[in-house]
Structures are given as structure tokens and as C-alpha cells.
Coordinates of all heavy atoms in Angstrom, one line a residue:
M110 N 24.6 -25.2 -9.3 CA 23.6 -24.3 -9.3 C 22.2 -25.0 -9.3 O 22.0 -25.9 -10.1 CB 23.7 -23.3 -10.4 CG 22.7 -22.2 -10.3 SD 23.1 -20.9 -11.6 CE 21.6 -20.4 -11.9
S111 N 21.3 -24.6 -8.4 CA 20.0 -25.3 -8.3 C 19.0 -24.7 -9.3 O 19.0 -23.5 -9.5 CB 19.6 -25.1 -6.9 OG 18.3 -25.7 -6.8
N112 N 18.2 -25.5 -9.8 CA 17.1 -25.0 -10.7 C 15.8 -24.8 -10.0 O 14.8 -24.6 -10.7 CB 16.9 -26.0 -11.9 CG 18.0 -26.0 -12.9 OD1 18.8 -25.0 -12.9 ND2 18.2 -27.0 -13.6
E113 N 15.8 -24.8 -8.7 CA 14.6 -24.6 -8.0 C 14.1 -23.1 -8.0 O 15.0 -22.2 -8.0 CB 14.7 -25.0 -6.5 CG 15.0 -26.4 -6.3 CD 15.2 -26.8 -4.9 OE1 14.6 -26.1 -4.0 OE2 15.8 -27.8 -4.6
L114 N 12.9 -22.9 -8.2 CA 12.3 -21.5 -8.3 C 11.8 -21.1 -6.9 O 11.3 -21.8 -6.1 CB 11.2 -21.5 -9.3 CG 11.5 -21.9 -10.7 CD1 10.3 -22.0 -11.6 CD2 12.5 -20.9 -11.3
T115 N 11.9 -19.8 -6.7 CA 11.4 -19.2 -5.5 C 9.9 -19.1 -5.5 O 9.3 -19.2 -6.6 CB 12.1 -17.8 -5.2 OG1 11.6 -16.9 -6.2 CG2 13.6 -17.9 -5.2
R116 N 9.3 -18.8 -4.4 CA 7.9 -18.6 -4.3 C 7.4 -17.5 -5.2 O 6.4 -17.5 -5.9 CB 7.5 -18.4 -2.9 CG 6.0 -18.2 -2.6 CD 5.3 -19.4 -2.6 NE 3.9 -19.1 -2.2 CZ 2.9 -19.9 -2.6 NH1 3.1 -21.0 -3.3 NH2 1.7 -19.6 -2.2
E117 N 8.2 -16.4 -5.2 CA 7.8 -15.2 -5.9 C 7.9 -15.5 -7.4 O 7.0 -15.0 -8.2 CB 8.8 -14.0 -5.6 CG 8.6 -13.4 -4.2 CD 9.6 -12.3 -3.9 OE1 10.4 -12.0 -4.8 OE2 9.5 -11.8 -2.8
E118 N 8.9 -16.2 -7.9 CA 9.0 -16.5 -9.3 C 7.9 -17.4 -9.7 O 7.3 -17.2 -10.8 CB 10.3 -17.2 -9.6 CG 11.5 -16.3 -9.4 CD 12.9 -17.1 -9.5 OE1 12.9 -18.3 -9.1 OE2 13.9 -16.4 -9.8
L119 N 7.5 -18.4 -8.9 CA 6.3 -19.2 -9.2 C 5.0 -18.4 -9.3 O 4.2 -18.6 -10.2 CB 6.2 -20.4 -8.2 CG 7.3 -21.4 -8.2 CD1 7.1 -22.4 -7.1 CD2 7.2 -22.2 -9.5
D120 N 4.8 -17.5 -8.4 CA 3.7 -16.6 -8.4 C 3.6 -15.8 -9.7 O 2.6 -15.6 -10.3 CB 3.6 -15.7 -7.2 CG 3.2 -16.5 -5.9 OD1 2.6 -17.6 -6.1 OD2 3.4 -16.0 -4.8
K121 N 4.8 -15.2 -10.1 CA 4.8 -14.4 -11.3 C 4.5 -15.2 -12.5 O 3.8 -14.8 -13.4 CB 6.2 -13.8 -11.4 CG 6.5 -12.6 -10.5 CD 7.8 -12.0 -10.7 CE 8.1 -10.9 -9.7 NZ 9.4 -10.3 -9.9
M122 N 5.0 -16.5 -12.6 CA 4.7 -17.3 -13.7 C 3.2 -17.7 -13.7 O 2.5 -17.7 -14.8 CB 5.5 -18.6 -13.6 CG 6.9 -18.4 -13.9 SD 8.0 -19.9 -13.6 CE 7.2 -21.2 -14.4
R123 N 2.6 -17.9 -12.6 CA 1.1 -18.3 -12.5 C 0.3 -17.1 -12.9 O -0.6 -17.2 -13.7 CB 0.8 -18.7 -11.1 CG -0.7 -19.1 -11.0 CD -1.1 -19.3 -9.5 NE -0.9 -18.2 -8.6 CZ -1.7 -17.1 -8.6 NH1 -2.7 -17.0 -9.3 NH2 -1.4 -16.1 -7.7
I124 N 0.7 -15.9 -12.5 CA -0.1 -14.7 -12.9 C 0.1 -14.4 -14.4 O -0.9 -14.1 -15.0 CB 0.5 -13.5 -12.1 CG1 0.0 -13.6 -10.6 CG2 0.0 -12.2 -12.6 CD1 0.7 -12.6 -9.7
T125 N 1.2 -14.7 -14.9 CA 1.4 -14.5 -16.4 C 0.5 -15.4 -17.2 O -0.1 -15.1 -18.2 CB 2.9 -14.7 -16.7 OG1 3.7 -13.8 -16.0 CG2 3.1 -14.5 -18.2
M126 N 0.4 -16.7 -16.7 CA -0.3 -17.7 -17.4 C -1.8 -17.5 -17.2 O -2.6 -17.6 -18.1 CB 0.1 -19.1 -17.0 CG 1.5 -19.4 -17.4 SD 2.2 -20.9 -16.8 CE 1.1 -22.1 -17.5
E127 N -2.3 -17.3 -16.0 CA -3.7 -17.3 -15.6 C -4.3 -15.9 -15.5 O -5.5 -15.7 -15.6 CB -3.9 -18.0 -14.3 CG -3.5 -19.4 -14.3 CD -3.6 -20.1 -12.9 OE1 -4.0 -19.4 -12.0 OE2 -3.2 -21.2 -12.8
G128 N -3.5 -14.9 -15.3 CA -4.0 -13.6 -15.1 C -4.1 -13.4 -13.6 O -4.1 -14.3 -12.8
E129 N -4.2 -12.1 -13.1 CA -4.2 -11.8 -11.7 C -5.7 -11.4 -11.3 O -6.3 -10.6 -11.9 CB -3.3 -10.6 -11.5 CG -3.1 -10.3 -10.0 CD -2.0 -9.2 -9.9 OE1 -1.9 -8.3 -10.7 OE2 -1.3 -9.3 -8.8
T130 N -6.1 -12.1 -10.2 CA -7.5 -11.7 -9.7 C -7.3 -10.5 -8.9 O -6.2 -10.0 -8.5 CB -8.0 -12.9 -8.9 OG1 -7.2 -13.0 -7.7 CG2 -8.1 -14.2 -9.6
A131 N -8.5 -9.9 -8.6 CA -8.5 -8.6 -7.8 C -7.9 -8.9 -6.4 O -7.1 -8.1 -5.9 CB -9.9 -8.1 -7.7
L132 N -8.3 -10.0 -5.8 CA -7.8 -10.3 -4.5 C -6.3 -10.6 -4.5 O -5.6 -10.1 -3.6 CB -8.5 -11.6 -3.9 CG -8.1 -12.0 -2.5 CD1 -8.5 -10.8 -1.5 CD2 -8.9 -13.2 -2.1
D133 N -5.8 -11.2 -5.5 CA -4.3 -11.4 -5.6 C -3.6 -10.1 -5.8 O -2.5 -9.9 -5.2 CB -4.0 -12.3 -6.9 CG -4.4 -13.8 -6.7 OD1 -4.5 -14.2 -5.5 OD2 -4.5 -14.5 -7.7
R134 N -4.2 -9.2 -6.5 CA -3.5 -7.9 -6.7 C -3.5 -7.1 -5.4 O -2.5 -6.5 -5.1 CB -4.3 -7.1 -7.8 CG -3.6 -5.8 -8.0 CD -4.0 -5.1 -9.2 NE -3.1 -4.0 -9.4 CZ -3.4 -2.8 -9.8 NH1 -4.6 -2.6 -10.2 NH2 -2.5 -1.9 -9.9
I135 N -4.6 -7.2 -4.6 CA -4.6 -6.5 -3.3 C -3.6 -7.1 -2.4 O -2.9 -6.3 -1.7 CB -6.0 -6.6 -2.7 CG1 -7.0 -5.7 -3.5 CG2 -6.0 -6.1 -1.3 CD1 -8.5 -5.9 -3.2
K136 N -3.5 -8.4 -2.4 CA -2.5 -9.0 -1.5 C -1.1 -8.6 -1.9 O -0.2 -8.3 -1.1 CB -2.6 -10.5 -1.6 CG -3.8 -11.1 -0.9 CD -3.9 -12.6 -1.0 CE -5.1 -13.2 -0.4 NZ -5.1 -14.7 -0.6
R137 N -0.8 -8.6 -3.2 CA 0.5 -8.3 -3.7 C 0.9 -6.8 -3.4 O 2.0 -6.5 -2.9 CB 0.6 -8.5 -5.2 CG 2.0 -8.2 -5.8 CD 2.0 -8.5 -7.3 NE 1.0 -7.9 -8.1 CZ 1.0 -6.7 -8.6 NH1 2.0 -5.9 -8.4 NH2 0.0 -6.2 -9.4
K138 N -0.1 -5.9 -3.7 CA 0.2 -4.5 -3.4 C 0.4 -4.2 -1.9 O 1.2 -3.4 -1.5 CB -0.9 -3.6 -3.9 CG -1.0 -3.6 -5.4 CD 0.2 -2.8 -6.0 CE 0.0 -2.5 -7.5 NZ 1.1 -1.7 -8.0
T139 N -0.4 -4.9 -1.1 CA -0.3 -4.8 0.4 C 1.1 -5.3 0.9 O 1.7 -4.7 1.7 CB -1.4 -5.5 1.1 OG1 -2.7 -5.0 0.7 CG2 -1.3 -5.3 2.6
K140 N 1.5 -6.3 0.3 CA 2.8 -6.9 0.6 C 4.0 -5.9 0.2 O 5.0 -5.8 0.9 CB 3.0 -8.3 0.0 CG 4.1 -9.1 0.6 CD 4.3 -10.4 0.0 CE 3.1 -11.3 0.3 NZ 3.3 -12.7 -0.2
E141 N 3.8 -5.3 -1.0 CA 4.8 -4.4 -1.5 C 4.9 -3.1 -0.7 O 6.0 -2.6 -0.4 CB 4.5 -4.1 -3.0 CG 4.8 -5.3 -3.9 CD 4.5 -4.9 -5.4 OE1 4.0 -3.8 -5.6 OE2 4.6 -5.8 -6.2
E142 N 3.7 -2.5 -0.4 CA 3.7 -1.3 0.3 C 2.7 -1.3 1.4 O 1.6 -0.9 1.3 CB 3.3 -0.1 -0.7 CG 4.2 0.1 -1.8 CD 3.9 1.2 -2.7 OE1 3.6 2.3 -2.1 OE2 3.9 1.1 -3.9
P143 N 3.1 -1.9 2.6 CA 2.2 -2.1 3.7 C 1.8 -0.8 4.4 O 0.7 -0.8 5.1 CB 3.0 -2.9 4.7 CG 4.5 -2.7 4.3 CD 4.5 -2.4 2.9
L144 N 2.4 0.3 4.2 CA 2.0 1.5 4.9 C 0.8 2.2 4.2 O 0.1 2.9 4.9 CB 3.2 2.5 4.9 CG 4.4 2.1 5.8 CD1 5.5 3.2 5.7 CD2 4.0 1.9 7.2
V145 N 0.6 2.0 2.9 CA -0.5 2.6 2.2 C -1.8 2.1 2.8 O -2.7 2.9 3.1 CB -0.4 2.4 0.7 CG1 -1.6 2.9 0.0 CG2 0.9 3.1 0.2
P146 N -2.1 0.8 2.9 CA -3.4 0.3 3.4 C -3.6 0.8 4.9 O -4.7 1.1 5.3 CB -3.3 -1.2 3.4 CG -2.3 -1.5 2.3 CD -1.3 -0.4 2.4
A147 N -2.5 0.9 5.6 CA -2.6 1.4 7.0 C -3.1 2.8 7.0 O -3.9 3.2 7.8 CB -1.3 1.2 7.7
G148 N -2.5 3.6 6.1 CA -2.9 5.0 6.0 C -4.3 5.2 5.5 O -5.1 6.1 6.0
V149 N -4.8 4.3 4.6 CA -6.1 4.4 4.1 C -7.1 4.0 5.2 O -8.2 4.6 5.4 CB -6.3 3.4 2.9 CG1 -7.8 3.3 2.5 CG2 -5.5 3.9 1.7
A150 N -6.7 3.0 6.0 CA -7.6 2.6 7.2 C -7.7 3.7 8.2 O -8.8 4.0 8.7 CB -7.0 1.3 7.8
L151 N -6.6 4.3 8.5 CA -6.6 5.5 9.4 C -7.4 6.6 8.9 O -8.2 7.2 9.7 CB -5.2 5.9 9.7 CG -5.0 7.0 10.8 CD1 -5.6 6.5 12.1 CD2 -3.6 7.4 11.0
T152 N -7.3 6.9 7.6 CA -8.1 7.9 7.0 C -9.6 7.6 7.1 O -10.4 8.5 7.5 CB -7.8 8.1 5.5 OG1 -6.4 8.5 5.4 CG2 -8.6 9.2 4.9
C153 N -10.0 6.4 6.8 CA -11.4 6.0 6.9 C -11.9 6.1 8.4 O -13.0 6.6 8.6 CB -11.6 4.6 6.4 SG -11.4 4.4 4.6
F154 N -11.1 5.6 9.3 CA -11.5 5.7 10.7 C -11.7 7.2 11.1 O -12.7 7.5 11.8 CB -10.4 5.1 11.6 CG -10.5 5.5 13.1 CD1 -11.5 4.9 13.9 CD2 -9.8 6.5 13.6 CE1 -11.7 5.3 15.2 CE2 -9.9 6.9 15.0 CZ -10.9 6.3 15.7
A155 N -10.8 8.1 10.7 CA -10.9 9.5 11.1 C -12.2 10.1 10.5 O -12.9 10.9 11.1 CB -9.7 10.3 10.7
L156 N -12.5 9.7 9.2 CA -13.7 10.3 8.6 C -14.9 9.8 9.3 O -15.8 10.6 9.5 CB -13.7 9.9 7.1 CG -14.8 10.4 6.3 CD1 -14.7 12.0 6.3 CD2 -14.7 9.9 4.9
V157 N -15.0 8.5 9.6 CA -16.2 8.0 10.3 C -16.3 8.6 11.7 O -17.4 9.0 12.1 CB -16.1 6.5 10.4 CG1 -17.2 5.9 11.3 CG2 -16.3 5.8 9.0
A158 N -15.2 8.8 12.4 CA -15.2 9.4 13.7 C -15.6 10.9 13.7 O -16.4 11.3 14.5 CB -13.8 9.3 14.4
A159 N -15.2 11.6 12.6 CA -15.6 13.0 12.4 C -17.1 13.1 12.2 O -17.8 13.9 12.7 CB -14.8 13.6 11.3
T160 N -17.6 12.1 11.4 CA -19.0 12.1 11.1 C -19.8 11.9 12.4 O -20.9 12.5 12.6 CB -19.4 11.0 10.1 OG1 -18.6 11.2 8.9 CG2 -20.8 11.0 9.7
V161 N -19.4 11.0 13.2 CA -20.0 10.7 14.5 C -20.0 12.0 15.4 O -21.0 12.3 16.0 CB -19.4 9.5 15.2 CG1 -19.9 9.4 16.6 CG2 -19.6 8.2 14.5
G162 N -18.8 12.6 15.4 CA -18.7 13.9 16.1 C -19.7 15.0 15.7 O -20.3 15.7 16.5
V163 N -19.8 15.1 14.3 CA -20.8 16.1 13.8 C -22.2 15.7 14.2 O -23.0 16.5 14.6 CB -20.6 16.2 12.3 CG1 -21.7 17.0 11.7 CG2 -19.3 16.8 11.9
K164 N -22.6 14.4 14.0 CA -23.9 14.0 14.3 C -24.3 14.2 15.8 O -25.4 14.5 16.1 CB -24.1 12.5 14.0 CG -24.1 12.2 12.5 CD -25.4 12.3 12.0 CE -25.5 11.8 10.5 NZ -26.7 12.1 9.9
T165 N -23.3 13.9 16.7 CA -23.6 14.1 18.1 C -23.5 15.5 18.6 O -23.8 15.8 19.7 CB -22.6 13.2 19.0 OG1 -21.3 13.6 18.7 CG2 -22.8 11.7 18.7
G166 N -22.9 16.4 17.8 CA -22.8 17.8 18.1 C -21.5 18.1 18.9 O -21.4 19.2 19.4
N167 N -20.6 17.2 18.9 CA -19.3 17.4 19.6 C -18.4 18.1 18.6 O -17.6 17.4 17.9 CB -18.8 16.1 20.2 CG -17.6 16.3 21.1 OD1 -17.1 17.4 21.2 ND2 -17.3 15.2 21.8
R168 N -18.4 19.4 18.6 CA -17.6 20.1 17.6 C -16.1 19.9 17.8 O -15.3 19.8 16.8 CB -17.9 21.6 17.6 CG -19.3 21.9 17.0 CD -19.5 23.4 17.0 NE -20.8 23.7 16.4 CZ -21.3 24.9 16.3 NH1 -20.6 25.9 16.8 NH2 -22.5 25.0 15.8
A169 N -15.6 20.0 19.0 CA -14.2 19.8 19.3 C -13.7 18.5 18.8 O -12.6 18.4 18.1 CB -13.9 20.0 20.7
Y170 N -14.4 17.4 19.1 CA -14.0 16.1 18.7 C -14.0 16.0 17.2 O -13.1 15.4 16.6 CB -15.0 15.1 19.3 CG -14.7 13.6 18.9 CD1 -13.6 13.0 19.5 CD2 -15.5 13.0 18.0 CE1 -13.3 11.7 19.1 CE2 -15.2 11.7 17.7 CZ -14.2 11.0 18.2 OH -13.9 9.7 17.9
A171 N -15.1 16.5 16.5 CA -15.2 16.5 15.1 C -14.0 17.2 14.4 O -13.4 16.7 13.5 CB -16.5 17.1 14.6
N172 N -13.7 18.4 14.9 CA -12.5 19.1 14.4 C -11.2 18.4 14.5 O -10.4 18.3 13.6 CB -12.4 20.5 15.0 CG -13.4 21.5 14.4 OD1 -13.8 21.4 13.3 ND2 -13.8 22.5 15.2
N173 N -11.0 17.7 15.7 CA -9.8 16.9 15.9 C -9.8 15.8 14.9 O -8.7 15.4 14.4 CB -9.7 16.4 17.3 CG -9.3 17.5 18.3 OD1 -8.7 18.5 17.9 ND2 -9.7 17.3 19.5
M174 N -10.9 15.1 14.7 CA -10.9 14.0 13.7 C -10.7 14.5 12.3 O -10.1 13.8 11.5 CB -12.3 13.2 13.9 CG -12.4 12.5 15.1 SD -11.1 11.2 15.4 CE -10.1 12.0 16.6
F175 N -11.3 15.7 11.9 CA -11.0 16.2 10.6 C -9.5 16.5 10.4 O -8.9 16.2 9.4 CB -11.8 17.4 10.3 CG -13.2 17.1 9.9 CD1 -14.3 17.8 10.6 CD2 -13.5 16.3 8.9 CE1 -15.6 17.5 10.3 CE2 -14.8 16.0 8.6 CZ -15.9 16.6 9.2
R176 N -8.9 17.0 11.4 CA -7.4 17.2 11.4 C -6.6 15.9 11.3 O -5.7 15.8 10.5 CB -7.0 18.0 12.6 CG -7.4 19.4 12.6 CD -6.9 20.2 13.8 NE -7.6 21.5 13.9 CZ -8.2 22.0 14.9 NH1 -8.4 21.2 16.0 NH2 -8.8 23.1 14.9
L177 N -7.1 14.9 12.0 CA -6.5 13.6 11.9 C -6.6 13.0 10.5 O -5.7 12.4 9.9 CB -7.1 12.6 12.9 CG -6.6 11.2 12.9 CD1 -5.1 11.1 13.2 CD2 -7.4 10.3 13.8
R178 N -7.8 13.3 9.9 CA -8.0 12.8 8.5 C -7.0 13.4 7.5 O -6.5 12.7 6.7 CB -9.5 13.1 8.1 CG -9.8 12.6 6.7 CD -11.1 13.1 6.2 NE -11.2 14.6 6.2 CZ -10.8 15.4 5.2 NH1 -10.2 14.9 4.2 NH2 -10.9 16.7 5.3
V179 N -6.8 14.7 7.7 CA -5.9 15.4 6.8 C -4.5 14.9 7.0 O -3.7 14.6 6.1 CB -5.9 16.9 7.0 CG1 -4.8 17.6 6.3 CG2 -7.3 17.5 6.6
A180 N -4.1 14.6 8.3 CA -2.8 14.1 8.6 C -2.6 12.7 8.0 O -1.6 12.3 7.4 CB -2.5 14.1 10.1
A181 N -3.7 11.9 8.1 CA -3.6 10.5 7.6 C -3.6 10.5 6.1 O -2.8 9.6 5.5 CB -4.9 9.7 8.1
Q182 N -4.3 11.4 5.5 CA -4.2 11.5 4.0 C -2.8 11.9 3.6 O -2.3 11.3 2.6 CB -5.2 12.4 3.4 CG -6.6 11.9 3.4 CD -7.6 12.9 2.9 OE1 -7.6 14.1 3.2 NE2 -8.5 12.4 2.0
S183 N -2.2 12.8 4.3 CA -0.8 13.2 4.0 C 0.1 12.1 4.1 O 1.0 11.8 3.3 CB -0.4 14.4 4.9 OG -1.3 15.5 4.7
F184 N 0.0 11.3 5.2 CA 0.8 10.1 5.5 C 0.7 9.1 4.3 O 1.6 8.6 3.9 CB 0.4 9.5 6.8 CG 1.1 8.2 7.0 CD1 2.4 8.1 7.4 CD2 0.4 7.0 6.8 CE1 3.0 6.8 7.6 CE2 1.0 5.8 7.0 CZ 2.3 5.7 7.4
T185 N -0.6 8.9 3.9 CA -0.8 7.9 2.8 C -0.2 8.4 1.5 O 0.5 7.6 0.8 CB -2.3 7.8 2.6 OG1 -2.9 7.4 3.8 CG2 -2.6 6.7 1.6
V186 N -0.3 9.6 1.2 CA 0.4 10.1 0.0 C 1.9 10.0 0.1 O 2.5 9.6 -0.9 CB -0.1 11.6 -0.3 CG1 0.8 12.2 -1.4 CG2 -1.5 11.7 -0.7
L187 N 2.4 10.4 1.2 CA 3.9 10.2 1.4 C 4.3 8.8 1.3 O 5.4 8.5 0.7 CB 4.3 10.8 2.7 CG 4.3 12.4 2.8 CD1 4.6 12.8 4.2 CD2 5.3 13.0 1.8
A188 N 3.5 7.9 1.8 CA 3.8 6.4 1.8 C 3.8 6.0 0.3 O 4.6 5.2 -0.1 CB 2.9 5.6 2.6
M189 N 2.9 6.5 -0.5 CA 2.8 6.1 -1.9 C 4.0 6.6 -2.6 O 4.6 5.8 -3.4 CB 1.5 6.6 -2.5 CG 0.2 5.9 -2.0 SD -1.3 6.8 -2.4 CE -1.2 6.8 -4.2
V190 N 4.3 7.8 -2.4 CA 5.5 8.4 -3.1 C 6.8 7.7 -2.7 O 7.6 7.4 -3.5 CB 5.5 9.9 -2.9 CG1 6.8 10.5 -3.4 CG2 4.3 10.6 -3.5
G191 N 6.9 7.5 -1.4 CA 8.1 6.9 -0.9 C 8.2 5.4 -1.4 O 9.3 5.0 -1.8
G192 N 7.1 4.7 -1.5 CA 7.2 3.3 -2.0 C 7.5 3.3 -3.5 O 8.2 2.5 -4.0
S193 N 6.9 4.3 -4.2 CA 7.2 4.4 -5.6 C 8.7 4.7 -5.9 O 9.3 4.1 -6.8 CB 6.3 5.5 -6.2 OG 6.7 5.7 -7.6
L194 N 9.2 5.6 -5.1 CA 10.7 5.9 -5.3 C 11.5 4.8 -4.9 O 12.5 4.5 -5.6 CB 11.0 7.2 -4.4 CG 10.4 8.5 -4.9 CD1 10.8 9.6 -3.9 CD2 11.0 8.9 -6.3
Y195 N 11.2 4.1 -3.9 CA 12.0 2.9 -3.4 C 12.0 1.8 -4.5 O 13.0 1.3 -4.8 CB 11.4 2.4 -2.1 CG 12.0 1.1 -1.7 CD1 13.3 1.0 -1.1 CD2 11.3 -0.1 -1.8 CE1 13.9 -0.1 -0.7 CE2 11.9 -1.3 -1.4 CZ 13.2 -1.3 -0.9 OH 13.7 -2.5 -0.5
Y196 N 10.8 1.5 -5.0 CA 10.8 0.4 -6.0 C 11.4 0.8 -7.3 O 11.9 0.0 -8.0 CB 9.3 -0.1 -6.2 CG 8.9 -1.0 -5.1 CD1 8.1 -0.6 -4.1 CD2 9.5 -2.3 -5.0 CE1 7.8 -1.4 -3.0 CE2 9.2 -3.1 -3.9 CZ 8.3 -2.7 -2.9 OH 8.0 -3.5 -1.9
S197 N 11.3 2.1 -7.7 CA 12.0 2.5 -8.9 C 13.5 2.4 -8.7 O 14.3 2.0 -9.6 CB 11.6 3.9 -9.4 OG 12.0 4.9 -8.4
Y198 N 14.0 2.8 -7.6 CA 15.4 2.7 -7.3 C 15.9 1.2 -7.2 O 16.9 0.8 -7.8 CB 15.7 3.3 -5.9 CG 17.2 3.2 -5.4 CD1 18.2 3.9 -6.0 CD2 17.5 2.2 -4.4 CE1 19.5 3.7 -5.6 CE2 18.8 2.1 -4.0 CZ 19.8 2.8 -4.6 OH 21.1 2.6 -4.2
K199 N 15.0 0.4 -6.6 CA 15.3 -1.1 -6.6 C 15.4 -1.7 -8.0 O 16.2 -2.5 -8.2 CB 14.2 -1.7 -5.7 CG 14.5 -3.1 -5.3 CD 13.4 -3.6 -4.4 CE 13.6 -5.1 -4.0 NZ 12.6 -5.6 -3.1
D200 N 14.5 -1.3 -8.8 CA 14.5 -1.8 -10.2 C 15.7 -1.4 -11.0 O 16.3 -2.1 -11.7 CB 13.2 -1.3 -11.0 CG 12.0 -2.1 -10.5 OD1 12.1 -3.1 -9.9 OD2 10.9 -1.6 -10.8
K201 N 16.2 -0.1 -10.8 CA 17.4 0.4 -11.4 C 18.6 -0.4 -10.9 O 19.5 -0.7 -11.7 CB 17.6 1.9 -11.1 CG 16.6 2.8 -11.9 CD 16.9 4.2 -11.6 CE 15.9 5.1 -12.3 NZ 16.1 6.5 -12.0
E202 N 18.7 -0.7 -9.6 CA 19.7 -1.5 -9.1 C 19.8 -2.9 -9.7 O 20.8 -3.4 -10.0 CB 19.7 -1.5 -7.6 CG 20.0 -0.2 -6.9 CD 21.4 0.2 -7.1 OE1 22.4 -0.6 -7.0 OE2 21.7 1.4 -7.4
K203 N 18.6 -3.5 -9.8 CA 18.5 -4.8 -10.4 C 18.9 -4.8 -11.8 O 19.6 -5.8 -12.3 CB 17.0 -5.3 -10.2 CG 16.8 -6.7 -10.5 CD 15.4 -7.1 -10.3 CE 15.1 -8.6 -10.5 NZ 13.8 -9.0 -10.2
K204 N 18.6 -3.8 -12.6 CA 19.0 -3.7 -14.0 C 20.5 -3.5 -14.1 O 21.1 -4.0 -15.1 CB 18.2 -2.6 -14.7 CG 16.8 -3.0 -15.0 CD 16.1 -1.9 -15.7 CE 14.6 -2.2 -15.9 NZ 13.9 -1.2 -16.5
K205 N 21.1 -2.8 -13.2 CA 22.5 -2.6 -13.2 C 23.3 -3.9 -13.0 O 24.3 -4.1 -13.6 CB 23.0 -1.6 -12.2 CG 22.7 -0.2 -12.6 CD 23.2 0.8 -11.5 CE 22.8 2.2 -11.8 NZ 23.3 3.1 -10.8
E206 N 22.7 -4.8 -12.1 CA 23.4 -6.1 -11.9 C 23.3 -7.0 -13.1 O 24.2 -7.8 -13.2 CB 22.7 -6.7 -10.7 CG 22.9 -6.0 -9.4 CD 22.2 -6.7 -8.2 OE1 21.5 -7.7 -8.4 OE2 22.3 -6.2 -7.1
E207 N 22.3 -6.9 -13.9 CA 22.2 -7.7 -15.1 C 23.0 -7.3 -16.2 O 23.9 -7.1 -16.6 CB 20.7 -7.8 -15.5 CG 19.8 -8.4 -14.6 CD 18.3 -8.3 -15.0 OE1 18.1 -7.6 -16.0 OE2 17.5 -8.8 -14.3

């Protein structure tokens, strides 16, 4: 049996010893749940596009972008809940193996 540590184990040890910076946390969370940042970006895009539609007076475009924003927010919430359920299930499976 080899005593070599994986990259993830080394990162966890470093974080435990030094603490986690904000950028490290963002990277870790993005790697764990990649759909959430995508949903947030889509929500921001839809909000900015809706604002542009309101400013230019294009009501149909603005309404479509507001609907897209609601859909993107729903997607983001579902991604968060789905990721949370997945990782809690994964942790339970890991504890059963031990």
C-alpha cells in the first residue's frame, strides 16, 4: 500500500493548517457545484439585459428578460438543493464504507 497523498488530501491539510482564503473557497465551491455559478451568471445577465430593455423602452424584450431572470433563479435554487442532496448522500455512503 502506498503512502502517497492525493491532491485533494494535500489541499485539505493545507487549508486546515493555514486557513482558507476567499479565492480558495470560491474555487472549491465552484468545483463542487459547477451549475450554481452558471445559474448566478445567467441571472445577472438577464437582470442587466432587462435593465437595458427598460432604459431603451423595449417592453417586450424587458419582459422576456425578467422571465428569463425568474427561470435562471429557479435553476440556481434547484442546482443548490440538488448539489446539497448529492453531497449529503455521498457523505452518508462514505461513512457506511468506514
